[in-house]
């Protein structure tokens, strides 16, 4: 119904009778025009697919050049020596670091992001929620290198207090022990990544929560439910798949984040038992840190690790999108 | 609107006992006071710890008091409310700290000299120098990337909305979504493998723009698609009914109607790629000198400049100051683009309708 009202608003500026007379006389020309235009637009659609395919093919080709000369095992070697003969490199440490830091980031960010999304849609006073949503959008626009700079020069010094406390009370677990020194560890990276992926998870969850049918909520309210019970009984079940896919989009971001990790982490090529001690590495960070000194072969080896990252993010993002799309068809939103 | 279990407290009324409206504020204020007292008493140094104690106290005291006065369900509701508020506050702290740190440390060296001079002849640990070369490089690289990505992105969106049926369109939609999630470093590695290692083209600003355009395309497609979908079908039908061919309908009716939204989307996409560092690091390489030609030889770049000032500083204050000032410039640029883009969206919104 609102389409029809706006239609009358939007209609006046558009009809331009002038050119029509000409096109009517040259119908053949217009049909060629149509064909050219369709060709152009379909061509760019196909070009996008070609680019995606080309990314996979070229990365795989250069990666195969490197892996075939690798004298360690690409999957399990705990080293990255591409300049020695024979070269030995493997992605075990990188895979570990990437997974651990992303999991930490998800564990911290998802609950908070869902909380903020609920805050914006169901708790905040109306006057507040608009500006806050706006600020969160801006937060998403802050470049990752700035997060990195802030993380390395502000966050790291501030975390040593927390790390000392964790070590004091939970050091006996081994996972949370700390030997002192700068807090440039995988846990720090995870915290920073959590801050960085918070906006995207919040935004997507907020959209989903906003689509919850008003009737569901009112039905719950009419039964005497408190606000929390409304959220638990109608909002969260409706939004579950949306939150899952939002988290996976955030996970995709966290997995591929480069500069923030490269500035904050002090990398080593081994796996530390403690999350608090500096060391470890991630795929993207390793590429950025090693690139400047890499020979052409070294670059190929880095491309091989990039290919692994590409495949992982492809799977994560593809799965997230599939969940979102299924939801879309089901809910009839976004008509 | 409450359970019979608590109605005995105010017999004859339909309401159960309720805490007064000022209670949450009082609970927060009270726990803040107590937390500060505990902090001072126990000699805790960190303000963060004070805040944590206050938060825990506020949540617990709210729960206990509400459970006694209002009943369990209401108490649980209050605890959820306070947790949601805590979530929000927790998220605000790093943001505020980031903006504060960048502005405070950035304004130290940010002036006309800083914006109009390059780093030529300035050692990393020395004070002085500026970002002119980096600013120039970033503008050229982002400009070229925009020139490549916008036509392809807009045409793809037109295909998806106006023509797209069947398998191809579905495949394009899906891969555009997936492409949005490609890590920037992977886009950089792709251009590296194909443009620099296989075609032997050498590091240049243009190589960087190629990678940036790959990152930009899906964003442009997505936003343009959304905008085109908002154009009412009646407009298209009216135009087609007058005998206007489809391509002219699209160019003269559909695009002008949605141009505000499309421009907004493009500007947001530009804002996003301006801050990308990883592909620039791999492809543009960076230099301390002014290079106005993006097609040959390494160039500077603002995000890369920040990284290099940080990484090569060996802890010197001068380089950190420059890094913060460059970060402030970059954030200001991105924020202004964002604000202007949203301004255009708002200004154009009533005409395009929703």
């Amino acid at each position: 119904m609102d389409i029809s009202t706006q239609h009358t608003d939007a209609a006046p500026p558009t009809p331009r009778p002038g050119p029509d007379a000409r096109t009517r006389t040259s119908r053949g020309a217009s049909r060629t025009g149509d064909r050219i235009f369709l060709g152009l637009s379909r061509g760019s659609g196909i070009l996008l697919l070609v680019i995606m395919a080309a990314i996979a093919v070229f990365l795989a080709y250069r990666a195969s050049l490197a892996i075939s000369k690798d004298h360690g095992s690409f999957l399990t070697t705990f080293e990255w020596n591409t300049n020695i003969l024979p070269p030995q490199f493997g992605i075990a440490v990188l895979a570990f670091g990437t997974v651990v830091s992303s999991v930490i980031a998800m564990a911290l960010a998802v609950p908070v992001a869902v909380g903020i999304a609920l805050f914006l849609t169901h708790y905040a006073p109306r006057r507040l929620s608009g500006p806050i949503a706006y600020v969160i959008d801006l937060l998403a626009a802050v470049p990752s290198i700035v997060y990195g700079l802030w993380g390395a020069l502000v966050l790291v010094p501030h975390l040593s207090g927390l790390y000392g406390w964790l070590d004091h009370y939970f050091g006996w677990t081994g996972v949370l022990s700390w030997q002192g020194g700068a807090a440039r560890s995988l846990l720090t990276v995870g915290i920073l990544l959590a801050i960085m992926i918070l906006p995207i998870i919040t935004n997507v969850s907020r959209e989903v929560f906003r689509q919850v049918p008003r009737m569901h909520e009112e039905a719950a309210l009419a039964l005497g439910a408190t606000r929390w019970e409304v959220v638990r009984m109608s909002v969260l079940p409706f939004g579950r798949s949306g939150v899952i896919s939002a988290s996976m989009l955030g996970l995709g971001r966290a997995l591929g984040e480069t500069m923030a990790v490269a500035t904050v982490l002090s990398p080593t090529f081994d796996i530390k038992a403690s999350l608090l001690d500096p060391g470890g590495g991630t795929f993207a960070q390793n590429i950025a840190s090693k690139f400047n000194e890499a020979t052409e072969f070294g670059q190929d080896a880095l491309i091989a690790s990039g290919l692994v990252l590409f495949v992982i993010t492809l799977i994560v993002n593809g799965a997230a999108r599939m969940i979102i799309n299924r939801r879309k068809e089901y809910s009839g939103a976004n008509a | 609107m409450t359970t019979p279990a608590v109605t005995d407290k105010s017999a004859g009324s339909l309401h159960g006992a309720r805490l007064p409206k000022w209670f949450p504020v009082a609970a927060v204020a009270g726990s803040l006071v107590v937390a500060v007292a505990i902090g001072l008493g126990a000699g805790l140094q960190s303000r963060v710890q004070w805040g944590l104690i206050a938060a825990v106290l506020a949540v617990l005291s709210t729960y206990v008091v509400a459970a006694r006065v209002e009943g369990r369900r209401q108490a649980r509701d209050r605890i959820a409310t306070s947790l949601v508020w805590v979530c929000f506050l927790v998220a605000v702290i790093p943001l505020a700290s980031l903006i504060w740190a960048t502005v405070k440390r950035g304004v130290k060296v940010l002036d006309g000299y800083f914006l109009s001079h390059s780093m030529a002849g300035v050692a990393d640990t020395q004070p002085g120098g500026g970002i002119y070369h980096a600013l120039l490089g970033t503008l050229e690289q982002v400009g070229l990337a925009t020139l490549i990505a916008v036509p392809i992105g807009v045409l793809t969106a037109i295909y998806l909305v106006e023509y797209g049926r069947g398998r191809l369109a579905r495949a394009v939609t899906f891969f555009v979504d997936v492409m949005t999630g490609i890590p920037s470093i992977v886009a950089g590695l792709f251009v590296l493998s194909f443009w620099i290692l296989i075609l032997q083209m050498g590091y240049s600003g243009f190589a960087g723009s190629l990678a940036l355009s790959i990152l930009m395309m899906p964003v442009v497609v997505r936003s343009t698609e959304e905008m085109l979908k908002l154009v009412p079908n009646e407009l298209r039908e009216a135009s087609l009914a007058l005998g206007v061919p489809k391509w002219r309908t699209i160019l003269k009716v559909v695009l002008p109607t949605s141009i505000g939204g499309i421009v907004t989307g493009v500007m947001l996409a530009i804002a996003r790629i301006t801050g990308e560092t990883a592909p620039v690091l791999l492809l543009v390489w960076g230099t301390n000198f002014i290079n106005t030609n993006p097609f040959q030889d390494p160039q500077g770049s603002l995000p890369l400049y920040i990284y290099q000032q940080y990484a090569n500083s060996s802890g010197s204050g001068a380089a950190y100051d420059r890094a913060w000032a460059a970060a402030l410039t970059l954030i200001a640029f991105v924020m202004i683009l964002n604000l202007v883009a949203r301004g255009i969206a708002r200004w154009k919104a009533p005409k395009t309708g929703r």
Side-chain angles (χ1 to χ4, degrees):
Chain A
M1 54 171 177
D2 51 21
I3 284 180
S4 60
T5 54
Q6 262 129 31
H7 165 55
T8 49
D9 287 348
T14 39
R16 289 200 191 134
D20 297 20
R22 206 179 48 214
T23 46
R24 201 176 301 146
T25 54
S26 54
R27 181 146 293 191
S30 80
R31 217 165 274 155
T32 355
D34 261 345
R35 211 167 297 144
I36 292 171
F37 199 74
L38 174 62
L40 272 179
S41 60
R42 186 189 279 157
S44 24
I46 294 173
L47 181 65
L48 279 180
L49 295 184
V50 170
I51 291 176
M52 281 299 284
I55 293 176
V57 168
F58 279 103
L59 289 187
Y61 167 64
R62 296 306 299 200
S64 68
L65 292 183
I67 294 176
S68 60
K69 292 192 191 126
D70 186 2
H71 270 247
S73 157
F74 182 62
L75 292 178
T76 55
T77 302
F78 274 47
E79 257 178 292
W80 196 271
N81 287 321
T82 50
N83 290 346
I84 56 166
L85 278 174
Q88 287 199 325
F89 58 93
I91 56 168
V93 174
L94 306 178
F96 175 81
T98 307
V99 170
V100 165
S101 57
S102 306
V103 167
I104 296 173
M106 297 288 289
L108 294 174
V110 171
V112 176
V114 170
I116 300 175
L118 283 176
F119 177 78
L120 291 176
T121 52
H122 289 81
Y123 283 88
R126 227 176 215 304
R127 261 180 303 136
L128 263 183
S129 77
I132 293 170
Y134 192 77
V135 167
I136 288 178
D137 279 350
L138 289 187
L139 189 56
V142 174
S144 62
I145 180 70
V146 180
Y147 276 111
L149 191 66
W150 175 78
L153 297 181
V154 178
L155 184 66
V156 164
H158 275 89
L159 279 179
S160 46
L162 174 71
Y163 281 14
W165 184 83
L166 282 176
D167 181 49
H168 191 258
Y169 290 98
F170 301 101
W172 51 270
T173 55
V175 183
L176 293 176
S177 68
W178 188 47
Q179 295 168 348
R184 297 173 169 274
S185 64
L186 283 180
L187 182 62
T188 312
V189 170
I191 294 173
L192 186 61
L193 288 177
I195 297 171
M196 295 178 66
I197 63 177
L198 202 62
I200 184 172
I201 304 181
T202 306
N203 279 344
V204 180
S205 311
R206 194 188 62 200
E207 286 309 312
V208 181
F209 290 158
R210 200 172 271 166
Q211 286 169 11
V212 174
R214 192 87 200 121
M215 287 298 177
H216 290 198
E217 292 174 34
E218 284 171 2
L221 283 173
L223 289 172
T226 60
R227 188 152 51 169
W228 166 241
E229 285 162 347
V230 171
V231 167
R232 220 191 49 206
M233 292 191 305
S234 67
V235 178
L236 290 183
F238 181 88
R240 190 185 298 133
S241 67
V243 171
I244 291 174
S245 55
S247 317
M248 291 175 82
L249 291 183
L251 178 62
R253 268 301 149 76
L255 289 171
E257 180 46 50
T258 312
M259 299 321 289
V261 185
T263 46
V264 166
L265 193 68
S266 82
T268 57
F269 233 82
D270 55 0
I271 293 178
K272 292 264 165 69
S274 167
L275 296 177
L276 269 53
D277 286 329
T282 72
F283 285 115
Q285 168 271 326
N286 186 53
I287 296 169
S289 315
K290 294 258 162 62
F291 183 77
N292 269 357
E293 300 129 38
T295 57
E296 189 167 321
F297 177 76
Q299 294 184 349
D300 281 346
L302 293 175
I303 288 174
S305 72
L307 178 67
V308 179
L309 177 64
F310 175 63
V311 171
I312 296 174
T313 49
L314 211 61
I315 293 171
V316 169
N317 281 305
R321 290 301 173 180
M322 272 177 182
I323 297 174
I324 291 186
N325 290 347
R326 211 169 50 198
R327 171 101 233 161
K328 228 182 251 170
E329 281 158 30
Y330 167 67
S331 74
N334 198 28
Chain B
M1 222 183 56
T2 177
T3 51
V6 287
T7 45
D8 53 355
K9 290 201 169 164
S10 54
S13 155
L14 287 175
H15 289 278
R18 301 282 294 171
L19 285 166
K21 272 219 167 129
W22 47 262
F23 173 72
V25 182
V28 170
S31 20
L32 266 179
V33 171
V34 176
V36 169
I38 293 179
L40 287 176
L44 296 177
Q45 298 284 313
S46 158
R47 300 284 156 80
V48 179
Q49 281 171 328
W50 296 15
L52 279 177
I53 294 174
V56 171
L57 277 178
V59 171
L60 282 183
S61 64
T62 310
Y63 181 76
V64 171
V65 175
R68 298 219 39 185
V69 179
E70 298 181 328
R72 289 272 300 285
R73 290 177 52 230
Q74 261 68 20
R76 216 172 275 164
D77 180 47
R78 283 197 187 268
I79 223 174
T81 308
S82 43
L83 281 181
V84 163
W85 272 91
V86 167
C87 278
F88 165 65
L89 291 176
V90 162
V92 167
I93 293 167
L95 170 68
S97 160
L98 180 120
I99 303 283
W100 171 245
T102 313
V103 171
K104 196 182 101 191
R105 305 189 190 187
V107 291
K108 248 191 245 170
V109 290
L110 184 60
D111 51 21
Y113 182 88
F114 186 71
L115 291 177
S116 58
H117 286 72
S118 76
M119 286 295 288
V122 182
D124 283 325
T125 49
Q126 262 178 330
I131 55 168
Y132 180 71
H133 61 303
L135 213 54
L136 190 78
T138 288
L139 289 179
E140 285 182 352
Q141 290 146 26
V142 169
L144 281 173
T146 311
L147 285 184
I148 301 170
V150 168
I152 297 177
V154 170
L155 278 172
T156 306
I158 289 176
Y159 171 71
L160 289 177
V161 176
E162 306 289 334
Y163 295 101
R165 307 272 173 282
R167 273 236 194 105
L168 179 64
R170 244 176 297 147
V172 173
T173 311
F174 182 74
F175 277 105
V176 165
D177 280 338
V178 172
M179 211 171 164
T180 320
I182 291 185
S184 54
I185 192 130
V186 170
L189 284 177
F190 161 62
V191 176
L192 174 78
S193 66
F194 145 84
W195 185 256
I196 293 181
L197 290 180
I198 294 178
L199 295 184
Q200 302 282 335
M201 296 304 271
Y203 301 100
S204 69
F206 182 68
S209 348
L210 284 178
L212 293 179
S213 69
I214 291 178
L215 296 171
M216 192 173 172
M217 272 176 218
V219 186
V220 174
V221 174
R222 235 324 72 98
S223 59
T224 308
E225 205 186 335
E226 294 303 320
M227 288 307 132
L228 293 181
K229 276 183 191 161
L230 294 181
V231 176
N233 249 335
E234 286 87 339
L235 285 186
R236 298 192 182 92
E237 284 159 10
S239 168
L240 291 174
L242 289 170
V244 181
K246 191 161 183 174
W247 66 281
R248 285 192 77 93
T249 305
I250 295 170
L251 284 184
K252 297 280 179 184
V253 177
V254 177
L255 283 183
T257 314
S258 53
I259 191 73
I262 296 175
V263 171
T264 303
V266 168
M267 290 179 75
L268 291 179
I270 293 176
R272 190 193 144 185
I273 62 164
T274 306
E276 286 294 353
T277 319
V280 178
L281 175 74
L282 300 189
L283 301 168
V284 183
W285 199 262
T287 166
N288 281 341
F289 303 95
I290 297 170
N291 173 12
T292 49
N293 182 2
F295 295 97
Q296 210 175 14
D297 296 332
Q299 267 192 314
S301 151
L302 198 48
L304 185 59
Y305 177 90
I306 301 174
Y307 179 62
Q308 287 174 335
Q309 288 303 317
Y310 168 77
N312 305 338
S313 66
S314 55
S316 110
Y320 282 163
D321 285 346
R322 281 193 294 265
W324 282 111
L328 181 58
T329 316
L330 185 61
I331 286 194
F333 183 73
V334 170
M335 292 294 159
I336 289 171
L337 264 182
N338 257 286
L339 291 176
V340 172
R342 276 156 219 274
I344 291 178
R346 183 168 291 182
W347 169 53
K348 279 280 183 183
K351 277 186 218 155
T352 51
R354 191 185 162 94

